[in-house]
């Protein structure tokens, strides 16, 4: 294990990140279940694949005209009471960390926020200047979540989903809330004070 460093979420003095490895967070004062976030390990790969298939219909994720097998990516697993409760996969390219997928299996418990905090700490220690995430226009829950944790909309790629459907024909025409899926939206979290 690496040398520990600490941060606080919701001013909880018992919350900490240990190295780039483990994040322990208590989601809210009303719910003091300890949460641990750690890098994906070999023992997590089967669960990861099941979770990705259940959430996304496949381990193949299409974004920006590229098809990725996210089951092969690095990431973080969040655990509540030693049960897997969330997953984040990412790519690091130059000075940018991209969140490729994020799944909270226990919404409203701070799992998503804890996963983003772990990715943020990794990005900072890797010299990244930004974290980005791409979602589709129908994914209002993701758009709300990312903005609540500090991301801002950087780009809207109008009609880009037509190209994605060439790579992943199983992508439906209509998504959440009956919204036609047409555009990709890129959100960004700046890690610099500029």
């Amino acid at each position: 294990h690496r040398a520990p460093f600490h941060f606080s979420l919701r001013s909880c003095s018992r919350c900490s990140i240990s190295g780039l490895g483990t994040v322990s967070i208590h989601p809210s004062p009303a719910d003091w279940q300890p949460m641990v976030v750690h890098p994906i390990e070999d023992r997590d790969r089967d669960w990861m694949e099941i979770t990705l298939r259940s959430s996304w219909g496949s381990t193949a994720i299409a974004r920006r005209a590229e098809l990725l097998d996210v089951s092969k990516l690095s990431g973080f697993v969040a655990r509540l009471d030693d049960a897997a409760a969330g997953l984040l996969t990412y790519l690091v390219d130059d000075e940018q960390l991209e969140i490729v997928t994020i799944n909270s299996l226990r919404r409203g418990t701070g799992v998503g926020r804890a996963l983003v905090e772990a990715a943020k700490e990794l990005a900072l220690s890797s010299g990244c200047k930004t974290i980005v995430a791409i979602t589709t226009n129908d994914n209002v829950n993701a758009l709300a979540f990312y903005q609540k944790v500090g991301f801002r909309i950087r780009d809207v790629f109008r009609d880009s989903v037509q190209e994605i459907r060439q790579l992943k024909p199983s992508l439906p025409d209509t998504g959440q809330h009956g919204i036609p899926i047409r555009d990709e939206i890129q959100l960004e979290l700046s890690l610099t004070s500029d």
Side-chain angles (χ1 to χ4, degrees):
H1 289 218
R2 299 176 184 128
F5 57 94
H6 299 276
F7 76 100
S8 175
L9 182 65
R10 295 188 182 164
S11 301
C12 177
S13 62
R14 295 177 5 196
C15 300
S16 66
I17 294 182
S18 300
L20 294 178
T22 304
V23 182
S24 297
I25 294 181
H26 304 281
S28 70
D31 183 11
W32 290 105
Q33 299 176 52
M35 183 183 312
V36 176
V37 175
H38 63 83
I40 294 169
E41 301 168 352
D42 288 339
R43 69 184 177 113
D44 299 314
R45 293 289 173 180
D46 289 340
W47 170 83
M48 178 182 175
E49 187 164 333
I50 291 166
T51 300
L52 291 167
R53 287 185 188 284
S54 172
S55 299
W56 305 101
S58 168
T59 62
I61 300 293
R63 56 50 149 170
R64 300 300 312 133
E66 181 180 13
L67 198 60
L68 295 172
D69 181 356
V70 292
S71 68
K72 307 292 185 218
L73 297 182
S74 297
F76 295 100
V77 174
R79 294 187 183 283
L80 277 172
D81 293 327
D82 204 35
L87 171 68
L88 179 146
T89 62
Y90 65 85
L91 291 169
V92 176
D93 184 24
D94 293 325
E95 296 179 334
Q96 176 175 284
L97 182 144
E98 178 183 346
I99 296 173
V100 180
T101 65
I102 187 168
N103 301 83
S104 175
L105 306 179
R106 306 231 341 235
R107 291 189 179 186
T109 61
V111 168
R113 182 178 296 271
L115 289 165
V116 169
E117 284 297 322
K120 183 177 176 182
E121 293 299 328
L122 173 66
L124 286 167
S125 70
S126 299
C128 294
K129 294 184 179 178
T130 59
I131 299 176
V132 298
I134 298 173
T135 191
T136 51
N137 63 288
D138 70 305
N139 198 343
V140 294
N141 292 335
L143 291 167
F145 167 75
Y146 282 121
Q147 291 177 83
K148 283 198 283 189
V149 297
F151 285 71
R152 300 196 56 184
I153 294 172
R154 183 170 94 180
D155 288 305
V156 176
F157 303 103
R158 292 177 55 96
D159 299 317
S160 64
V161 175
Q162 290 175 5
E163 192 174 348
I164 289 172
R165 283 197 180 94
Q166 304 288 324
L167 300 170
K168 191 173 180 180
S170 62
L171 188 66
D173 292 329
T174 304
Q176 295 180 16
H177 309 288
I179 298 171
I181 304 173
R182 298 182 181 124
D183 312 315
E184 288 177 291
I185 299 172
Q186 185 173 40
L187 297 103
E188 177 181 79
L189 177 65
S190 176
L191 301 176
T192 61
S193 58
D194 296 344

